[in-house]
Amino acid sequence: MDWDDLRVFLAVARSESLSGAGKRLALDPATVGRRIARLEEGTGTRLFVKSPQGYALTEEGAGLLPHAEAVEAAMEGAAEVMAGQHTLGAGLSGQIRIGAPDGCANYLLPQVLTEICAENPALEVQIVALPRVFNLSKREADLAIGVSRPEAGRLRVQKLSDYRLHMAASADYLASAPPLTRIDDLKAHRVVGYIPDMIFDKELDYLAQVGVTSVPMASNSVAVQLNWLRAGGGVGVVHDFALPFAPGLRKVLTREVSLTRSFWLIRHEGDARVTRLNRFAEALVLGFRREVVRLEAMT
C-alpha cells in the first residue's frame, strides 16, 4: 500500500470532500478522486460513501483510518530523525497549529508561545482562536486547549492549569450604577456575558451558576465581553488572568462569586510517538502554568 495514497485517504477522511482534501494537499479534486479510486481498487474495498453532505467513511474505511494515522506518525517520526529534532537540545522547527478558546488565546498563549518561539527560531506557530471544540481527528489543529476534559475519542489529555474567575465592572460604571454588595443587587444592573445559545461548553455557563437568567449585553467572544466591561457596559464574569490587561476593571462580589475552572491540553492519540509535538507540549505546559500564576498574582 503506497504512503502517498494513504496520505490522500487521510485528507479526504478529515475534509469529507475531494475539494477540501485537494486544498490540504495542493492537488486538484479530480486527482484526489483518481487516487482514492486507485486505493480502493488496490485494496478491493470501498472506503468512502458519497452523499450530499460529502464523503463519509465506510466501515472498512473507518477500520483503515487508525492504521493510516499510525503510518503518518511513523513518517513524521522518520522526518524528525532526519532533521535531528529527536535529539535532546535540538531546536524545534516546522509548523504547529493550536486551537484554543479565545480567552486563553488572547491573554495567555501569546506570551507563552513568544517565549517558546524565541528559543526555537525555526518554529512556526499558529493560534486558531475559536469558541468551540476542535476536532483533532480531522486535523483542525495539532493540539487543542479545552475547558473540559473530553471523555470520548482517541485522545491524549493532560491538565494544563486551574484558573479563577470573578465578577468585575469598570470603576466608572460602578460610580454611577446602583449599589452592588450582594447577589440580589445584580437585578438592578446590566449584565455582560455569553450569548446563551452559543455557549459551547457547560463549564462556560458562569452566569447560570450565580442565578443570572437575563444577559442584555452578550457576545460569544471573551475579548468582546472584556472590552464591553471596560467601556462601562455593565458587570460580568472575568478571568482573573485577563484583569491585568484591563486595569480599569474592579472585582465585585468577591465573597459571593469565586469560580474555578481548568484548561486541558488535548492531543490525538496517534501523535504520541511524534517527538517534536511531545517536546513542544512539554514546553507549552510549563510556560502556561507559569503565566497563569504570574497574571493571577497581579489581580
Side-chain angles (χ1 to χ4, degrees), residues 185-222:
D185 293 338
L186 286 172
K187 297 174 182 177
H189 289 261
R190 297 191 305 269
V191 176
V192 175
Y194 280 106
I195 300 171
D197 63 358
M198 295 187 74
I199 296 175
F200 68 93
D201 192 296
K202 60 181 176 56
E203 296 293 334
L204 302 179
D205 198 3
Y206 313 126
L207 294 175
Q209 186 171 331
V210 298
V212 173
T213 57
S214 176
V215 187
M217 307 184 82
S219 172
N220 67 328
S221 165
V222 168

PDB file of all heavy atoms in Angstrom, residues 185-222:
ATOM      1  N   ASP A 185     -28.467  42.184  44.188  1.00  0.00           N
ATOM      2  CA  ASP A 185     -28.311  43.515  43.594  1.00  0.00           C
ATOM      3  C   ASP A 185     -28.111  43.450  42.078  1.00  0.00           C
ATOM      4  O   ASP A 185     -28.311  44.456  41.385  1.00  0.00           O
ATOM      5  CB  ASP A 185     -27.129  44.244  44.221  1.00  0.00           C
ATOM      6  CG  ASP A 185     -27.363  44.597  45.682  1.00  0.00           C
ATOM      7  OD1 ASP A 185     -28.534  44.659  46.090  1.00  0.00           O
ATOM      8  OD2 ASP A 185     -26.362  44.790  46.414  1.00  0.00           O
ATOM      9  N   LEU A 186     -27.704  42.286  41.568  1.00  0.00           N
ATOM     10  CA  LEU A 186     -27.473  42.165  40.124  1.00  0.00           C
ATOM     11  C   LEU A 186     -28.729  42.443  39.311  1.00  0.00           C
ATOM     12  O   LEU A 186     -28.646  42.811  38.138  1.00  0.00           O
ATOM     13  CB  LEU A 186     -26.947  40.762  39.791  1.00  0.00           C
ATOM     14  CG  LEU A 186     -25.496  40.464  40.175  1.00  0.00           C
ATOM     15  CD1 LEU A 186     -25.188  38.988  39.968  1.00  0.00           C
ATOM     16  CD2 LEU A 186     -24.540  41.328  39.345  1.00  0.00           C
ATOM     17  N   LYS A 187     -29.889  42.274  39.932  1.00  0.00           N
ATOM     18  CA  LYS A 187     -31.147  42.519  39.217  1.00  0.00           C
ATOM     19  C   LYS A 187     -31.260  43.965  38.744  1.00  0.00           C
ATOM     20  O   LYS A 187     -31.987  44.248  37.787  1.00  0.00           O
ATOM     21  CB  LYS A 187     -32.331  42.173  40.125  1.00  0.00           C
ATOM     22  CG  LYS A 187     -32.391  40.703  40.517  1.00  0.00           C
ATOM     23  CD  LYS A 187     -33.494  40.447  41.528  1.00  0.00           C
ATOM     24  CE  LYS A 187     -33.529  38.988  41.966  1.00  0.00           C
ATOM     25  NZ  LYS A 187     -34.555  38.738  43.020  1.00  0.00           N
ATOM     26  N   ALA A 188     -30.546  44.871  39.400  1.00  0.00           N
ATOM     27  CA  ALA A 188     -30.615  46.292  39.035  1.00  0.00           C
ATOM     28  C   ALA A 188     -29.477  46.708  38.103  1.00  0.00           C
ATOM     29  O   ALA A 188     -29.310  47.897  37.832  1.00  0.00           O
ATOM     30  CB  ALA A 188     -30.579  47.145  40.305  1.00  0.00           C
ATOM     31  N   HIS A 189     -28.721  45.732  37.613  1.00  0.00           N
ATOM     32  CA  HIS A 189     -27.544  46.044  36.790  1.00  0.00           C
ATOM     33  C   HIS A 189     -27.617  45.397  35.417  1.00  0.00           C
ATOM     34  O   HIS A 189     -28.251  44.355  35.235  1.00  0.00           O
ATOM     35  CB  HIS A 189     -26.267  45.550  37.500  1.00  0.00           C
ATOM     36  CG  HIS A 189     -25.916  46.347  38.704  1.00  0.00           C
ATOM     37  ND1 HIS A 189     -24.968  47.338  38.692  1.00  0.00           N
ATOM     38  CD2 HIS A 189     -26.409  46.299  39.974  1.00  0.00           C
ATOM     39  CE1 HIS A 189     -24.871  47.874  39.906  1.00  0.00           C
ATOM     40  NE2 HIS A 189     -25.747  47.250  40.705  1.00  0.00           N
ATOM     41  N   ARG A 190     -26.952  46.063  34.459  1.00  0.00           N
ATOM     42  CA  ARG A 190     -26.768  45.453  33.142  1.00  0.00           C
ATOM     43  C   ARG A 190     -25.693  44.368  33.267  1.00  0.00           C
ATOM     44  O   ARG A 190     -24.625  44.605  33.815  1.00  0.00           O
ATOM     45  CB  ARG A 190     -26.327  46.491  32.111  1.00  0.00           C
ATOM     46  CG  ARG A 190     -27.337  47.597  31.849  1.00  0.00           C
ATOM     47  CD  ARG A 190     -26.930  48.407  30.618  1.00  0.00           C
ATOM     48  NE  ARG A 190     -25.582  48.943  30.733  1.00  0.00           N
ATOM     49  CZ  ARG A 190     -25.288  50.136  31.232  1.00  0.00           C
ATOM     50  NH1 ARG A 190     -26.254  50.905  31.703  1.00  0.00           N
ATOM     51  NH2 ARG A 190     -24.040  50.561  31.274  1.00  0.00           N
ATOM     52  N   VAL A 191     -25.973  43.198  32.727  1.00  0.00           N
ATOM     53  CA  VAL A 191     -25.036  42.074  32.813  1.00  0.00           C
ATOM     54  C   VAL A 191     -24.447  41.789  31.434  1.00  0.00           C
ATOM     55  O   VAL A 191     -25.160  41.743  30.431  1.00  0.00           O
ATOM     56  CB  VAL A 191     -25.727  40.818  33.368  1.00  0.00           C
ATOM     57  CG1 VAL A 191     -24.769  39.623  33.355  1.00  0.00           C
ATOM     58  CG2 VAL A 191     -26.219  41.079  34.788  1.00  0.00           C
ATOM     59  N   VAL A 192     -23.134  41.613  31.418  1.00  0.00           N
ATOM     60  CA  VAL A 192     -22.400  41.256  30.199  1.00  0.00           C
ATOM     61  C   VAL A 192     -22.006  39.784  30.300  1.00  0.00           C
ATOM     62  O   VAL A 192     -21.526  39.333  31.350  1.00  0.00           O
ATOM     63  CB  VAL A 192     -21.137  42.128  30.046  1.00  0.00           C
ATOM     64  CG1 VAL A 192     -20.317  41.673  28.837  1.00  0.00           C
ATOM     65  CG2 VAL A 192     -21.511  43.602  29.930  1.00  0.00           C
ATOM     66  N   GLY A 193     -22.204  39.025  29.217  1.00  0.00           N
ATOM     67  CA  GLY A 193     -21.838  37.609  29.267  1.00  0.00           C
ATOM     68  C   GLY A 193     -21.941  36.950  27.916  1.00  0.00           C
ATOM     69  O   GLY A 193     -21.983  37.621  26.878  1.00  0.00           O
ATOM     70  N   TYR A 194     -21.974  35.620  27.927  1.00  0.00           N
ATOM     71  CA  TYR A 194     -22.077  34.850  26.692  1.00  0.00           C
ATOM     72  C   TYR A 194     -23.496  34.894  26.132  1.00  0.00           C
ATOM     73  O   TYR A 194     -24.472  35.007  26.878  1.00  0.00           O
ATOM     74  CB  TYR A 194     -21.727  33.377  26.948  1.00  0.00           C
ATOM     75  CG  TYR A 194     -20.251  33.088  27.017  1.00  0.00           C
ATOM     76  CD1 TYR A 194     -19.626  32.832  28.233  1.00  0.00           C
ATOM     77  CD2 TYR A 194     -19.473  33.045  25.856  1.00  0.00           C
ATOM     78  CE1 TYR A 194     -18.264  32.557  28.300  1.00  0.00           C
ATOM     79  CE2 TYR A 194     -18.122  32.771  25.914  1.00  0.00           C
ATOM     80  CZ  TYR A 194     -17.520  32.517  27.131  1.00  0.00           C
ATOM     81  OH  TYR A 194     -16.183  32.243  27.189  1.00  0.00           O
ATOM     82  N   ILE A 195     -23.599  34.783  24.804  1.00  0.00           N
ATOM     83  CA  ILE A 195     -24.894  34.555  24.169  1.00  0.00           C
ATOM     84  C   ILE A 195     -25.350  33.163  24.614  1.00  0.00           C
ATOM     85  O   ILE A 195     -24.657  32.173  24.359  1.00  0.00           O
ATOM     86  CB  ILE A 195     -24.779  34.617  22.640  1.00  0.00           C
ATOM     87  CG1 ILE A 195     -24.268  35.999  22.209  1.00  0.00           C
ATOM     88  CG2 ILE A 195     -26.113  34.292  21.975  1.00  0.00           C
ATOM     89  CD1 ILE A 195     -23.925  36.090  20.728  1.00  0.00           C
ATOM     90  N   PRO A 196     -26.475  33.064  25.290  1.00  0.00           N
ATOM     91  CA  PRO A 196     -26.857  31.780  25.912  1.00  0.00           C
ATOM     92  C   PRO A 196     -26.854  30.583  24.971  1.00  0.00           C
ATOM     93  O   PRO A 196     -26.355  29.516  25.323  1.00  0.00           O
ATOM     94  CB  PRO A 196     -28.254  32.065  26.463  1.00  0.00           C
ATOM     95  CG  PRO A 196     -28.241  33.534  26.762  1.00  0.00           C
ATOM     96  CD  PRO A 196     -27.425  34.140  25.647  1.00  0.00           C
ATOM     97  N   ASP A 197     -27.403  30.735  23.767  1.00  0.00           N
ATOM     98  CA  ASP A 197     -27.489  29.572  22.884  1.00  0.00           C
ATOM     99  C   ASP A 197     -26.199  29.321  22.099  1.00  0.00           C
ATOM    100  O   ASP A 197     -26.143  28.434  21.242  1.00  0.00           O
ATOM    101  CB  ASP A 197     -28.677  29.676  21.928  1.00  0.00           C
ATOM    102  CG  ASP A 197     -28.573  30.865  20.982  1.00  0.00           C
ATOM    103  OD1 ASP A 197     -27.595  31.632  21.086  1.00  0.00           O
ATOM    104  OD2 ASP A 197     -29.470  31.019  20.135  1.00  0.00           O
ATOM    105  N   MET A 198     -25.135  30.082  22.407  1.00  0.00           N
ATOM    106  CA  MET A 198     -23.843  29.866  21.759  1.00  0.00           C
ATOM    107  C   MET A 198     -22.776  29.431  22.765  1.00  0.00           C
ATOM    108  O   MET A 198     -21.590  29.416  22.445  1.00  0.00           O
ATOM    109  CB  MET A 198     -23.394  31.121  21.011  1.00  0.00           C
ATOM    110  CG  MET A 198     -24.303  31.493  19.849  1.00  0.00           C
ATOM    111  SD  MET A 198     -23.678  32.861  18.847  1.00  0.00           S
ATOM    112  CE  MET A 198     -22.341  32.040  17.954  1.00  0.00           C
ATOM    113  N   ILE A 199     -23.197  29.075  23.967  1.00  0.00           N
ATOM    114  CA  ILE A 199     -22.250  28.538  24.951  1.00  0.00           C
ATOM    115  C   ILE A 199     -21.914  27.117  24.532  1.00  0.00           C
ATOM    116  O   ILE A 199     -22.763  26.229  24.568  1.00  0.00           O
ATOM    117  CB  ILE A 199     -22.847  28.580  26.368  1.00  0.00           C
ATOM    118  CG1 ILE A 199     -23.096  30.031  26.793  1.00  0.00           C
ATOM    119  CG2 ILE A 199     -21.928  27.884  27.359  1.00  0.00           C
ATOM    120  CD1 ILE A 199     -23.790  30.168  28.136  1.00  0.00           C
ATOM    121  N   PHE A 200     -20.659  26.878  24.114  1.00  0.00           N
ATOM    122  CA  PHE A 200     -20.302  25.589  23.520  1.00  0.00           C
ATOM    123  C   PHE A 200     -19.847  24.556  24.539  1.00  0.00           C
ATOM    124  O   PHE A 200     -19.625  23.395  24.186  1.00  0.00           O
ATOM    125  CB  PHE A 200     -19.203  25.780  22.460  1.00  0.00           C
ATOM    126  CG  PHE A 200     -17.863  26.196  23.011  1.00  0.00           C
ATOM    127  CD1 PHE A 200     -16.897  25.248  23.323  1.00  0.00           C
ATOM    128  CD2 PHE A 200     -17.571  27.540  23.209  1.00  0.00           C
ATOM    129  CE1 PHE A 200     -15.673  25.617  23.820  1.00  0.00           C
ATOM    130  CE2 PHE A 200     -16.337  27.928  23.704  1.00  0.00           C
ATOM    131  CZ  PHE A 200     -15.385  26.962  24.013  1.00  0.00           C
ATOM    132  N   ASP A 201     -19.702  24.958  25.808  1.00  0.00           N
ATOM    133  CA  ASP A 201     -19.291  24.019  26.848  1.00  0.00           C
ATOM    134  C   ASP A 201     -19.962  24.421  28.147  1.00  0.00           C
ATOM    135  O   ASP A 201     -19.964  25.607  28.506  1.00  0.00           O
ATOM    136  CB  ASP A 201     -17.761  24.034  27.010  1.00  0.00           C
ATOM    137  CG  ASP A 201     -17.242  22.883  27.851  1.00  0.00           C
ATOM    138  OD1 ASP A 201     -17.596  22.831  29.050  1.00  0.00           O
ATOM    139  OD2 ASP A 201     -16.480  22.050  27.345  1.00  0.00           O
ATOM    140  N   LYS A 202     -20.525  23.454  28.867  1.00  0.00           N
ATOM    141  CA  LYS A 202     -21.264  23.754  30.094  1.00  0.00           C
ATOM    142  C   LYS A 202     -20.394  24.459  31.133  1.00  0.00           C
ATOM    143  O   LYS A 202     -20.903  25.185  31.985  1.00  0.00           O
ATOM    144  CB  LYS A 202     -21.819  22.458  30.692  1.00  0.00           C
ATOM    145  CG  LYS A 202     -20.777  21.415  31.051  1.00  0.00           C
ATOM    146  CD  LYS A 202     -21.393  20.150  31.613  1.00  0.00           C
ATOM    147  CE  LYS A 202     -20.369  19.057  31.880  1.00  0.00           C
ATOM    148  NZ  LYS A 202     -19.284  19.470  32.763  1.00  0.00           N
ATOM    149  N   GLU A 203     -19.065  24.253  31.056  1.00  0.00           N
ATOM    150  CA  GLU A 203     -18.177  24.903  32.014  1.00  0.00           C
ATOM    151  C   GLU A 203     -18.168  26.425  31.853  1.00  0.00           C
ATOM    152  O   GLU A 203     -17.709  27.143  32.738  1.00  0.00           O
ATOM    153  CB  GLU A 203     -16.744  24.363  31.858  1.00  0.00           C
ATOM    154  CG  GLU A 203     -16.589  22.890  32.179  1.00  0.00           C
ATOM    155  CD  GLU A 203     -16.815  22.599  33.658  1.00  0.00           C
ATOM    156  OE1 GLU A 203     -16.607  23.496  34.490  1.00  0.00           O
ATOM    157  OE2 GLU A 203     -17.210  21.462  33.982  1.00  0.00           O
ATOM    158  N   LEU A 204     -18.666  26.917  30.726  1.00  0.00           N
ATOM    159  CA  LEU A 204     -18.674  28.358  30.466  1.00  0.00           C
ATOM    160  C   LEU A 204     -19.981  29.030  30.878  1.00  0.00           C
ATOM    161  O   LEU A 204     -20.114  30.248  30.745  1.00  0.00           O
ATOM    162  CB  LEU A 204     -18.421  28.619  28.976  1.00  0.00           C
ATOM    163  CG  LEU A 204     -17.124  28.052  28.404  1.00  0.00           C
ATOM    164  CD1 LEU A 204     -17.026  28.364  26.925  1.00  0.00           C
ATOM    165  CD2 LEU A 204     -15.914  28.605  29.151  1.00  0.00           C
ATOM    166  N   ASP A 205     -20.913  28.258  31.384  1.00  0.00           N
ATOM    167  CA  ASP A 205     -22.206  28.827  31.766  1.00  0.00           C
ATOM    168  C   ASP A 205     -22.109  29.419  33.176  1.00  0.00           C
ATOM    169  O   ASP A 205     -22.794  29.000  34.108  1.00  0.00           O
ATOM    170  CB  ASP A 205     -23.287  27.752  31.696  1.00  0.00           C
ATOM    171  CG  ASP A 205     -24.686  28.348  31.636  1.00  0.00           C
ATOM    172  OD1 ASP A 205     -24.794  29.585  31.595  1.00  0.00           O
ATOM    173  OD2 ASP A 205     -25.652  27.573  31.634  1.00  0.00           O
ATOM    174  N   TYR A 206     -21.237  30.421  33.306  1.00  0.00           N
ATOM    175  CA  TYR A 206     -20.948  31.001  34.616  1.00  0.00           C
ATOM    176  C   TYR A 206     -22.171  31.674  35.239  1.00  0.00           C
ATOM    177  O   TYR A 206     -22.450  31.529  36.429  1.00  0.00           O
ATOM    178  CB  TYR A 206     -19.842  32.062  34.509  1.00  0.00           C
ATOM    179  CG  TYR A 206     -18.645  31.678  33.711  1.00  0.00           C
ATOM    180  CD1 TYR A 206     -18.208  32.478  32.655  1.00  0.00           C
ATOM    181  CD2 TYR A 206     -17.905  30.526  34.006  1.00  0.00           C
ATOM    182  CE1 TYR A 206     -17.083  32.157  31.921  1.00  0.00           C
ATOM    183  CE2 TYR A 206     -16.780  30.190  33.275  1.00  0.00           C
ATOM    184  CZ  TYR A 206     -16.371  31.020  32.236  1.00  0.00           C
ATOM    185  OH  TYR A 206     -15.264  30.698  31.504  1.00  0.00           O
ATOM    186  N   LEU A 207     -22.876  32.452  34.430  1.00  0.00           N
ATOM    187  CA  LEU A 207     -23.951  33.283  34.976  1.00  0.00           C
ATOM    188  C   LEU A 207     -25.097  32.439  35.517  1.00  0.00           C
ATOM    189  O   LEU A 207     -25.729  32.821  36.509  1.00  0.00           O
ATOM    190  CB  LEU A 207     -24.446  34.255  33.912  1.00  0.00           C
ATOM    191  CG  LEU A 207     -23.406  35.312  33.489  1.00  0.00           C
ATOM    192  CD1 LEU A 207     -23.917  36.161  32.341  1.00  0.00           C
ATOM    193  CD2 LEU A 207     -23.033  36.206  34.678  1.00  0.00           C
ATOM    194  N   ALA A 208     -25.361  31.307  34.898  1.00  0.00           N
ATOM    195  CA  ALA A 208     -26.411  30.427  35.416  1.00  0.00           C
ATOM    196  C   ALA A 208     -26.060  29.952  36.818  1.00  0.00           C
ATOM    197  O   ALA A 208     -26.943  29.772  37.667  1.00  0.00           O
ATOM    198  CB  ALA A 208     -26.591  29.230  34.488  1.00  0.00           C
ATOM    199  N   GLN A 209     -24.774  29.786  37.071  1.00  0.00           N
ATOM    200  CA  GLN A 209     -24.336  29.317  38.393  1.00  0.00           C
ATOM    201  C   GLN A 209     -24.621  30.345  39.481  1.00  0.00           C
ATOM    202  O   GLN A 209     -24.826  29.985  40.635  1.00  0.00           O
ATOM    203  CB  GLN A 209     -22.842  28.990  38.371  1.00  0.00           C
ATOM    204  CG  GLN A 209     -22.329  28.365  39.665  1.00  0.00           C
ATOM    205  CD  GLN A 209     -20.905  27.859  39.535  1.00  0.00           C
ATOM    206  OE1 GLN A 209     -20.458  27.475  38.466  1.00  0.00           O
ATOM    207  NE2 GLN A 209     -20.184  27.862  40.650  1.00  0.00           N
ATOM    208  N   VAL A 210     -24.647  31.630  39.108  1.00  0.00           N
ATOM    209  CA  VAL A 210     -24.925  32.665  40.111  1.00  0.00           C
ATOM    210  C   VAL A 210     -26.362  33.168  40.019  1.00  0.00           C
ATOM    211  O   VAL A 210     -26.719  34.177  40.635  1.00  0.00           O
ATOM    212  CB  VAL A 210     -23.933  33.843  39.978  1.00  0.00           C
ATOM    213  CG1 VAL A 210     -22.523  33.362  40.228  1.00  0.00           C
ATOM    214  CG2 VAL A 210     -24.040  34.527  38.624  1.00  0.00           C
ATOM    215  N   GLY A 211     -27.200  32.460  39.229  1.00  0.00           N
ATOM    216  CA  GLY A 211     -28.615  32.771  39.200  1.00  0.00           C
ATOM    217  C   GLY A 211     -29.034  33.857  38.232  1.00  0.00           C
ATOM    218  O   GLY A 211     -30.179  34.321  38.282  1.00  0.00           O
ATOM    219  N   VAL A 212     -28.139  34.267  37.325  1.00  0.00           N
ATOM    220  CA  VAL A 212     -28.491  35.298  36.340  1.00  0.00           C
ATOM    221  C   VAL A 212     -29.161  34.631  35.141  1.00  0.00           C
ATOM    222  O   VAL A 212     -28.620  33.699  34.554  1.00  0.00           O
ATOM    223  CB  VAL A 212     -27.237  36.068  35.876  1.00  0.00           C
ATOM    224  CG1 VAL A 212     -27.593  37.022  34.734  1.00  0.00           C
ATOM    225  CG2 VAL A 212     -26.633  36.836  37.043  1.00  0.00           C
ATOM    226  N   THR A 213     -30.338  35.086  34.784  1.00  0.00           N
ATOM    227  CA  THR A 213     -31.085  34.491  33.672  1.00  0.00           C
ATOM    228  C   THR A 213     -31.199  35.415  32.465  1.00  0.00           C
ATOM    229  O   THR A 213     -31.521  34.967  31.370  1.00  0.00           O
ATOM    230  CB  THR A 213     -32.500  34.109  34.124  1.00  0.00           C
ATOM    231  OG1 THR A 213     -33.163  35.279  34.637  1.00  0.00           O
ATOM    232  CG2 THR A 213     -32.442  33.041  35.218  1.00  0.00           C
ATOM    233  N   SER A 214     -30.909  36.698  32.631  1.00  0.00           N
ATOM    234  CA  SER A 214     -31.011  37.659  31.529  1.00  0.00           C
ATOM    235  C   SER A 214     -29.644  38.278  31.266  1.00  0.00           C
ATOM    236  O   SER A 214     -28.979  38.754  32.195  1.00  0.00           O
ATOM    237  CB  SER A 214     -32.021  38.757  31.876  1.00  0.00           C
ATOM    238  OG  SER A 214     -32.059  39.749  30.866  1.00  0.00           O
ATOM    239  N   VAL A 215     -29.223  38.237  29.991  1.00  0.00           N
ATOM    240  CA  VAL A 215     -27.920  38.796  29.610  1.00  0.00           C
ATOM    241  C   VAL A 215     -28.158  39.820  28.500  1.00  0.00           C
ATOM    242  O   VAL A 215     -28.103  39.502  27.306  1.00  0.00           O
ATOM    243  CB  VAL A 215     -26.957  37.686  29.124  1.00  0.00           C
ATOM    244  CG1 VAL A 215     -25.560  38.250  28.903  1.00  0.00           C
ATOM    245  CG2 VAL A 215     -26.906  36.541  30.122  1.00  0.00           C
ATOM    246  N   PRO A 216     -28.432  41.063  28.865  1.00  0.00           N
ATOM    247  CA  PRO A 216     -28.776  42.065  27.855  1.00  0.00           C
ATOM    248  C   PRO A 216     -27.615  42.485  26.959  1.00  0.00           C
ATOM    249  O   PRO A 216     -27.827  43.034  25.883  1.00  0.00           O
ATOM    250  CB  PRO A 216     -29.276  43.256  28.688  1.00  0.00           C
ATOM    251  CG  PRO A 216     -28.655  43.069  30.020  1.00  0.00           C
ATOM    252  CD  PRO A 216     -28.556  41.598  30.237  1.00  0.00           C
ATOM    253  N   MET A 217     -26.365  42.239  27.389  1.00  0.00           N
ATOM    254  CA  MET A 217     -25.197  42.588  26.576  1.00  0.00           C
ATOM    255  C   MET A 217     -24.364  41.315  26.442  1.00  0.00           C
ATOM    256  O   MET A 217     -23.656  40.922  27.374  1.00  0.00           O
ATOM    257  CB  MET A 217     -24.407  43.712  27.224  1.00  0.00           C
ATOM    258  CG  MET A 217     -25.260  44.928  27.571  1.00  0.00           C
ATOM    259  SD  MET A 217     -24.327  46.328  28.232  1.00  0.00           S
ATOM    260  CE  MET A 217     -23.733  47.066  26.724  1.00  0.00           C
ATOM    261  N   ALA A 218     -24.471  40.662  25.288  1.00  0.00           N
ATOM    262  CA  ALA A 218     -23.895  39.324  25.154  1.00  0.00           C
ATOM    263  C   ALA A 218     -23.030  39.196  23.906  1.00  0.00           C
ATOM    264  O   ALA A 218     -23.269  39.831  22.878  1.00  0.00           O
ATOM    265  CB  ALA A 218     -25.010  38.274  25.109  1.00  0.00           C
ATOM    266  N   SER A 219     -21.995  38.358  24.023  1.00  0.00           N
ATOM    267  CA  SER A 219     -21.128  38.035  22.896  1.00  0.00           C
ATOM    268  C   SER A 219     -20.583  36.625  23.087  1.00  0.00           C
ATOM    269  O   SER A 219     -20.437  36.158  24.224  1.00  0.00           O
ATOM    270  CB  SER A 219     -19.957  39.025  22.791  1.00  0.00           C
ATOM    271  OG  SER A 219     -19.027  38.609  21.809  1.00  0.00           O
ATOM    272  N   ASN A 220     -20.254  35.958  21.981  1.00  0.00           N
ATOM    273  CA  ASN A 220     -19.624  34.650  22.079  1.00  0.00           C
ATOM    274  C   ASN A 220     -18.120  34.756  22.304  1.00  0.00           C
ATOM    275  O   ASN A 220     -17.431  33.751  22.443  1.00  0.00           O
ATOM    276  CB  ASN A 220     -19.898  33.819  20.816  1.00  0.00           C
ATOM    277  CG  ASN A 220     -19.219  34.400  19.586  1.00  0.00           C
ATOM    278  OD1 ASN A 220     -19.048  35.612  19.470  1.00  0.00           O
ATOM    279  ND2 ASN A 220     -18.826  33.541  18.671  1.00  0.00           N
ATOM    280  N   SER A 221     -17.599  36.002  22.353  1.00  0.00           N
ATOM    281  CA  SER A 221     -16.164  36.240  22.497  1.00  0.00           C
ATOM    282  C   SER A 221     -15.832  36.800  23.867  1.00  0.00           C
ATOM    283  O   SER A 221     -16.419  37.804  24.303  1.00  0.00           O
ATOM    284  CB  SER A 221     -15.692  37.227  21.417  1.00  0.00           C
ATOM    285  OG  SER A 221     -14.412  37.728  21.726  1.00  0.00           O
ATOM    286  N   VAL A 222     -14.858  36.187  24.539  1.00  0.00           N
ATOM    287  CA  VAL A 222     -14.386  36.703  25.830  1.00  0.00           C
ATOM    288  C   VAL A 222     -13.766  38.083  25.665  1.00  0.00           C
ATOM    289  O   VAL A 222     -13.963  38.969  26.504  1.00  0.00           O
ATOM    290  CB  VAL A 222     -13.367  35.720  26.442  1.00  0.00           C
ATOM    291  CG1 VAL A 222     -12.640  36.358  27.616  1.00  0.00           C
ATOM    292  CG2 VAL A 222     -14.060  34.449  26.901  1.00  0.00           C
TER     293      VAL A 222
END
